[in-house]
Amino acid sequence: MKYQLLSIIFTIIALTKVNSFYFNFPTFQQSDRSTKLLLSKFANIYKDAIQVTPDNRGEIENYSGRAFYIKPYTLWNKNKLSSFNTTFVLNISPQTSPGGEGIAFILASDTSLPENSAGEWLGIVNASTNGTSRAGILAVEFDTRQSSTKDGPHNHVGININSIASIVQASLDNTKVNLSSGIHVTVRIQYFNDVISVFASMGDYLLDSMETILVSPPLNLSSYLRQEVYVGFSASTSNYTELNCVTRWEFNGVDIGSKGKLLWIIWIIIPLVILIGGFVFLFLYCRRKRSDEVQEDAYPRIEDQIQHSSMAPKKYQLKELVKATNGFSHQNKLGQGGFGTVYKGILGNNKEIAVKRVSKDSRQGKQEFIAEVTTIGSLHHKNLVKLIGWCYEKKELLIVYEFMPNGSLDKYLFNQSRELELHYSKVLDWKTRNGVIRDVAQALDYLHDGCEKKVLHRDIKASNIMLDFDYVAKLGDFGLARTIQKRNETHHSTKEIAGTPGYMAPETFLTGRATVETDVYAFGVLVLEVICGKRPGNVYAQDDYKNSIVYWVWELYGNGKIVSVVDKRISGKGDDEDERVKFEEEVEIVLILGLACCHPNPNKRPSMKTVLMVLNGEASPPMVPIERPAFVWPAMPSSFKEGEDSSLINGTLTPFTELSGR
Ligand SMILES: *[C@@H]1O[C@H](CO)[C@@H](O)[C@H](O)[C@H]1NC(C)=O
Ligand SMILES: *[C@@H]1O[C@H](CO)[C@@H](O)[C@H](O)[C@H]1NC(C)=O
Ligand SMILES: *[C@@H]1O[C@H](CO)[C@@H](O)[C@H](O)[C@H]1NC(C)=O
Ligand SMILES: *[C@@H]1O[C@H](CO)[C@@H](O)[C@H](O)[C@H]1NC(C)=O
Ligand SMILES: *[C@@H]1O[C@H](CO)[C@@H](O)[C@H](O)[C@H]1NC(C)=O
Ligand SMILES: *[C@@H]1O[C@H](CO)[C@@H](O)[C@H](O)[C@H]1NC(C)=O
């Protein structure tokens, strides 16, 4: 009901939005003569074309003619000038040598043909209106004959205002376009930002091979022409003759409409919108009263939500961030993801920052924005990307982080395109990779157990792990993070399917719940990735795990060849036997730990505490079966009990209950 009302409102808004003034004549028919066109006395429709000067055999000399589209076009109003594009095909067949005189595309206040406008006047003006505002005409002339010394050469294009003399003209001699060849010539004329541009090509509607013929200086047509003009063509012959035909014509202009129309719209639409708005408000109000549940789409203002959260990070002004990032310039771009784009910025005090600009059509909506700012903003750990501030202005959602000079982890792990390889030519050695794994483990342990609220990250993957100057890893991108109250140990899960395929635990597809254990699973996949230098594989369903890195490593582990999975770039140097043995021992422990985290049964996965102990050499890795156990359902994660709803409690995130279709 609510959606229907909203859609009605949007439809109305769309209807009142700028319309276009459009027509298209792929060909001309006799019936267009009075229904769609206004033709002067001798102009004619013949053989699917407008003959602007007629083809009545023997009587072709000394004619002028005009042809207009039947409806006037609003060229300007109080506030603005319109803009338009028009494309047409001319066919000029000279009957003398040279032919005469030419044809013009015109915008005229008056549709009537001036008397005695044949010959050199092109049907545009006559001897007495020439050069006066009475003419009320703009013409783009396609002139085939030099009729006076002031006129351009035979084959030229010019722009004329109220006069047969051009304010700007261009010879076609150095172009491929020959008006007098008897062949179709396609012309496109644009009026945009006060400038008229003319393009042309030989042939029928060859839009891609058009040459730019002429670009006018800025022309504020409101100074010369009436508000409403008729668009069309004029042409003339003298004792030099030709057939002046138009065979196609398309026109597309912005319809800025007339005042009367606008008033009409205002008087009808605005009260209607207010009325419907009132209904919607009433409806929402009643519904809200009826249930205490907070509605997921009745967002309070973003600011309130963020500022009510206990540790709100700094709010920046849009203009500060625009300045810092050089206006979100391309040069400052650090990366792009499904959520939007990340830019490098420099604040006034020379502090380097990274600014995530959430793109308007990204999957990261306001909910994720708020989740990210409020969760990560209140967390402080050396292995979490620090969130410095945020901004929500003019519909821009921006998040400011500390700048990570070495970018994201994925760029170092996988085979990249050549360009990227140059950028990230550094191969991370085993020591660094091991450090990265430990850093991420510490971050996760802190989220799961170390901070006031339990936080699920829900989107652990290589591209969300950032490296600082010393290659210390920090976990970032908390767009999907959810807080879970710690007091109540049973509320360890949240109900939305989210995350990245390949990193999602098998039970996710059945329970649809994120838990501490699903974070551990994703961490396990990450460990394998970091050591193997391979992507996790495309796994969209629980029965298709055969392609995944987990399956692959497990199999080699079963064959006693687990060390063979190690990225060749770090396993190669085996000169020193002792060192090689030590390396293989270390790497094997971490690989087995990774597999343990990827146990299909969530109960069997270690906690992040245990993971850290193993990484620090304080415990041996958990036992991992030689064969990857089958995933057995139901497999309850120890932290999740059926019957207790996992929707979040209190705090900042309560409005978001269930998301679907992620
Ligand atoms: C056309 O005009 C020219 C000069 O104005 C004149 O010499 C010629 O006879 C005219 N032709 C016709 C057919 O009226
Ligand atoms: C005219 O064409 C240009 C370029 O193709 C386009 O940017 C502009 O929006 C068009 N204007 C209208 C009114 O169609
Ligand atoms: C020019 O055209 C106008 C309007 O059609 C007409 O009144 C005027 O007499 C014409 N002038 C000449 C010299 O023919
Ligand atoms: C244009 O074409 C005509 C007919 O083919 C030819 O006589 C004339 O010389 C050409 N003009 C130019 C400028 O090439
Ligand atoms: C065009 O000129 C008119 C006055 O002649 C002026 O009011 C209007 O602002 C100008 N428009 C533009 C876009 O320059
Ligand atoms: C047209 O008339 C002019 C003189 O009025 C003459 O010089 C020219 O040769 C004529 N052209 C043709 C094609 O008859």
Side-chain angles (χ1 to χ4, degrees):
M1 159 90 170
K2 180 174 56 184
Y3 296 108
Q4 281 161 0
L5 283 174
L6 282 176
S7 82
I8 291 171
I9 292 176
F10 286 131
T11 313
I12 290 168
I13 290 170
L15 283 174
T16 59
K17 263 206 159 161
V18 188
N19 283 319
S20 67
F21 183 90
Y22 177 81
F23 58 80
N24 185 15
F25 293 97
T27 174
F28 294 94
Q29 293 162 0
Q30 271 302 331
S31 59
D32 296 335
R33 185 179 177 109
S34 52
T35 55
K36 294 178 183 163
L37 296 168
L38 295 169
L39 301 185
S40 63
K41 191 168 170 200
F42 297 108
N44 198 7
I45 290 175
Y46 184 64
K47 288 194 173 163
D48 301 340
I50 306 177
Q51 300 191 328
V52 187
T53 52
D55 180 20
N56 303 347
R57 206 160 296 151
E59 277 191 85
I60 188 170
E61 283 185 21
N62 298 346
Y63 274 113
S64 62
R66 284 182 172 189
F68 291 101
Y69 183 63
I70 198 160
K71 285 187 197 143
Y73 174 61
T74 307
L75 194 59
W76 53 274
N77 65 24
K78 245 198 270 167
N79 312 312
K80 58 178 172 188
L81 287 168
S82 74
S83 62
F84 64 79
N85 291 326
T86 186
T87 308
F88 49 85
V89 176
L90 299 178
N91 188 297
I92 300 174
S93 303
Q95 307 293 306
T96 56
S97 181
E101 295 283 335
I103 186 166
F105 171 77
I106 57 176
L107 304 177
S109 305
D110 192 348
T111 55
S112 63
L113 181 69
E115 284 167 37
N116 302 316
S117 58
E120 61 180 309
W121 305 114
L122 291 180
I124 296 173
V125 288
N126 65 18
S128 55
T129 61
N130 185 27
T132 70
S133 59
R134 263 186 302 152
I137 191 164
L138 174 127
V140 179
E141 61 167 50
F142 299 85
D143 202 333
T144 52
R145 191 181 86 89
Q146 181 168 24
S147 41
S148 73
T149 47
K150 281 188 202 151
D151 200 4
H154 286 335
N155 192 30
H156 79 268
V157 174
I159 296 178
N160 309 356
I161 296 179
N162 293 341
S163 165
I164 197 61
S166 303
I167 55 167
V168 47
Q169 64 183 27
S171 164
L172 293 171
D173 286 348
N174 296 321
T175 69
K176 296 202 186 83
V177 180
N178 180 351
L179 296 174
S180 309
S181 61
I183 297 174
H184 286 333
V185 177
T186 302
V187 177
R188 180 171 175 84
I189 297 176
Q190 262 179 35
Y191 180 55
F192 185 67
N193 280 344
D194 300 9
V195 171
I196 296 177
S197 314
V198 183
F199 311 89
S201 62
M202 295 303 288
D204 191 357
Y205 239 64
L206 293 176
L207 297 180
D208 25 332
S209 60
M210 291 197 130
E211 292 176 71
T212 306
I213 303 296
L214 184 60
V215 176
S216 77
L219 292 174
N220 182 340
L221 294 183
S222 70
S223 320
Y224 309 105
L225 296 177
R226 290 212 194 122
Q227 237 174 316
E228 290 203 332
V229 293
Y230 289 86
V231 294
F233 301 90
S234 73
S236 72
T237 57
S238 58
N239 65 337
Y240 294 89
T241 57
E242 64 193 13
L243 294 178
N244 292 302
C245 299
V246 180
T247 64
R248 290 171 85 138
W249 184 22
E250 185 174 4
F251 185 97
N252 190 0
V254 174
D255 189 1
I256 56 180
S258 62
K259 243 190 279 168
K261 206 165 159 189
L262 261 172
L263 277 179
W264 183 87
I265 287 170
I266 287 167
W267 285 117
I268 303 289
I269 299 307
I270 295 209
L272 208 66
V273 169
I274 291 173
L275 204 73
I276 293 173
F279 275 124
V280 171
F281 179 79
L282 217 71
F283 175 75
L284 287 179
Y285 183 76
C286 295
R287 207 168 111 160
R288 195 156 178 169
K289 269 200 126 176
R290 239 185 294 134
S291 78
D292 281 334
E293 245 180 3
V294 188
Q295 298 302 309
E296 71 174 289
D297 36 25
Y299 297 120
R301 291 174 56 231
I302 283 192
E303 307 226 349
D304 294 349
Q305 287 214 21
I306 292 176
Q307 265 153 8
H308 283 162
S309 88
S310 50
M311 306 196 44
K314 180 169 159 62
K315 184 177 175 221
Y316 282 92
Q317 284 185 309
L318 182 58
K319 61 176 186 220
E320 283 175 272
L321 298 181
V322 167
K323 189 163 165 240
T325 58
N326 212 350
F328 300 111
S329 82
H330 194 72
Q331 281 87 356
N332 287 39
K333 199 161 140 182
L334 292 174
Q336 188 149 24
F339 52 77
T341 312
V342 180
Y343 297 87
K344 182 179 176 171
I346 298 177
L347 289 176
N349 52 6
N350 273 336
K351 188 185 167 78
E352 288 183 311
I353 52 171
V355 180
K356 176 157 102 177
R357 186 188 199 189
V358 179
S359 78
K360 301 202 169 75
D361 41 42
S362 95
R363 67 187 175 89
Q364 179 162 17
K366 288 184 189 162
Q367 305 174 28
E368 285 78 10
F369 178 80
I370 296 168
E372 179 152 13
V373 173
T374 52
T375 41
I376 190 179
S378 62
L379 301 174
H380 301 280
H381 187 273
K382 67 178 166 55
N383 297 119
L384 296 179
V385 173
K386 200 185 289 161
L387 186 140
I388 305 175
W390 61 283
C391 169
Y392 176 59
E393 254 179 68
K394 297 192 181 136
K395 301 216 173 120
E396 290 277 5
L397 301 171
L398 300 164
I399 305 184
V400 183
Y401 308 95
E402 63 178 318
F403 177 64
M404 289 284 140
N406 280 318
S408 62
L409 176 64
D410 57 328
K411 303 206 170 92
Y412 298 88
L413 292 182
F414 314 124
N415 282 335
Q416 299 286 333
S417 69
R418 215 175 272 152
E419 189 194 335
L420 276 171
E421 242 172 281
L422 285 177
H423 242 87
Y424 297 93
S425 50
K426 186 180 161 71
V427 172
L428 301 182
D429 60 12
W430 166 238
K431 201 163 148 266
T432 313
R433 293 191 197 205
N434 202 13
V436 164
I437 290 170
R438 187 169 329 177
D439 291 337
V440 177
Q442 277 165 352
L444 266 183
D445 178 46
Y446 169 75
L447 292 179
H448 288 177
D449 225 14
C451 50
E452 195 186 327
K453 294 170 185 160
K454 199 176 273 286
V455 175
L456 300 179
H457 184 281
R458 307 201 310 159
D459 203 11
I460 293 159
K461 58 177 168 182
S463 59
N464 282 344
I465 292 169
M466 310 300 293
L467 300 175
D468 80 357
F469 188 77
D470 299 315
Y471 293 92
V472 171
K474 304 195 180 200
L475 188 53
D477 207 322
F478 281 64
L480 296 180
R482 289 292 180 274
T483 320
I484 287 161
Q485 226 181 30
K486 207 178 167 191
R487 257 184 296 122
N488 192 337
E489 288 292 317
T490 54
H491 285 95
H492 277 206
S493 71
T494 158
K495 211 176 175 179
E496 304 125 46
I497 285 216
T500 304
Y503 293 90
M504 284 157 79
E507 75 271 16
T508 320
F509 300 97
L510 292 166
T511 63
R513 281 165 201 266
T515 58
V516 169
E517 289 80 5
T518 56
D519 265 3
V520 171
Y521 185 92
F523 170 79
V525 174
L526 179 82
V527 167
L528 302 182
E529 245 182 299
V530 168
I531 298 179
C532 307
K534 271 193 188 325
R535 289 189 186 282
N538 266 344
V539 183
Y540 287 98
Q542 78 271 19
D543 56 352
D544 191 23
Y545 260 63
K546 299 209 170 164
N547 299 321
S548 80
I549 192 169
V550 178
Y551 202 95
W552 179 67
V553 174
W554 215 306
E555 200 166 81
L556 287 161
Y557 167 68
N559 299 341
K561 294 186 200 151
I562 191 161
V563 178
S564 70
V565 304
V566 176
D567 192 341
K568 294 289 171 284
R569 292 175 292 179
I570 57 170
S571 62
K573 41 180 182 183
D575 290 350
D576 187 332
E577 182 65 17
D578 288 348
E579 220 164 80
R580 201 176 55 80
V581 169
K582 185 167 164 269
F583 163 75
E584 286 186 358
E585 276 171 13
E586 271 178 27
V587 91
E588 185 168 354
I589 289 175
V590 183
L591 277 170
I592 290 175
L593 180 66
L595 284 183
C597 293
C598 295
H599 199 292
N601 183 345
N603 299 312
K604 297 274 168 65
R605 291 175 206 151
S607 69
M608 288 318 293
K609 270 251 129 31
T610 313
V611 167
L612 264 183
M613 283 168 71
V614 174
L615 289 173
N616 291 332
E618 294 158 11
S620 44
M623 294 295 288
V624 173
I626 290 295
E627 216 166 294
R628 181 180 177 275
F631 169 61
V632 183
W633 180 255
M636 287 296 164
S638 53
S639 63
F640 165 68
K641 287 185 190 144
E642 194 69 90
E644 287 183 80
D645 194 6
S646 61
S647 53
L648 306 167
I649 321 116
N650 288 331
T652 53
L653 290 168
T654 16
F656 320 126
T657 45
E658 211 159 339
L659 286 175
S660 52
R662 293 204 64 116

